[in-house]
Amino acid sequence: GSAVFANRAAGNLLDHPQAPVADAWLDATHPDDRRQLDDILQGALHEGRSGSLRHRVCHRDGVVHWVEHEIVPVAAAETAISGSVSTLVDVTAEESSREHLRRSRAFTETVMDTIGVLVVVLDINGKIRRCNTCCERVTGWFRDELIGRHVLELSPDEQHRISEAAFIEVLE
């Protein structure tokens, strides 16, 4: 469908600051996201379904922005759909933060699994939340068996009291 109106903010977000924006929204959509966006638009226009998609828009200078795009059908009569209304929200900063966090976690996981030292991350109650490959080798348990267990379950019975006392002292 053709855009009838787009405000200045949408024009800027789509890298078409001078109105009319017309079909610039689809042209600005990243090629890998166009089909899914078009499916949502067609669902709104032909089936009366609302939809949303988080997708990329590409500026002419190569800068990519992320938008949360919502499409809602508009009915001229009870049964006839006359068009749709789209809203775009710039979520580039949020997506950038998510990507930074994903990379940071991947780096941390790589470091934890390649150092030759047993690493266990505990919550305030002493339950294991994360551990590394070395922990699996030393304990003989798989990671998914360790997660959620209390750290004292790893110490042999005869050392349990000593370990428990040391653990409580560390917490205090």
Side-chain angles (χ1 to χ4, degrees):
S2 294
V4 175
F5 171 79
N7 64 19
R8 183 174 287 139
N12 289 335
L13 185 57
L14 298 172
D15 195 27
H16 288 277
Q18 273 65 41
V21 174
D23 292 323
W25 65 273
L26 191 56
D27 292 338
T29 300
H30 190 280
D32 293 344
D33 300 333
R34 286 182 188 158
R35 183 179 192 96
Q36 196 173 2
L37 182 60
D38 191 53
D39 288 348
I40 292 170
L41 178 62
Q42 296 308 315
L45 295 175
H46 301 292
E47 300 168 25
R49 284 184 291 124
S50 295
S52 65
L53 176 67
R54 186 169 284 215
H55 67 88
R56 296 159 290 182
V57 293
C58 304
H59 285 202
R60 290 171 283 196
D61 64 2
V63 175
V64 175
H65 289 266
W66 281 89
V67 296
E68 185 71 39
H69 192 154
E70 185 169 357
I71 301 174
V72 178
V74 175
E78 271 189 43
T79 58
I81 298 168
S82 61
S84 65
V85 173
S86 287
T87 56
L88 300 170
V89 176
D90 189 344
V91 293
T92 304
E94 181 183 333
E95 284 296 323
S96 178
S97 294
R98 284 183 184 193
E99 178 61 17
H100 177 74
L101 181 59
R102 185 193 65 73
R103 287 182 182 175
S104 180
R105 283 183 177 164
F107 175 76
T108 300
E109 289 294 325
T110 300
V111 169
M112 279 186 57
D113 280 341
T114 56
I115 61 174
V117 177
L118 185 143
V119 177
V120 177
V121 178
L122 307 174
D123 66 15
I124 191 71
N125 298 313
K127 301 255 183 182
I128 299 170
R129 293 294 164 221
R130 292 176 76 184
C131 61
N132 66 353
T133 306
C134 186
C135 183
E136 290 179 309
R137 280 195 314 270
V138 169
T139 64
W141 292 3
F142 292 109
R143 196 173 305 206
D144 60 343
E145 296 172 314
L146 290 163
I147 303 299
R149 290 186 179 272
H150 195 280
V151 69
L152 295 179
E153 293 180 47
L154 302 181
S155 63
D157 289 337
E158 63 274 1
Q159 291 184 352
H160 189 82
R161 277 200 193 124
I162 298 168
S163 299
E164 185 173 24
F167 182 75
I168 291 170
E169 185 177 324
V170 168
L171 284 179
E172 294 173 349

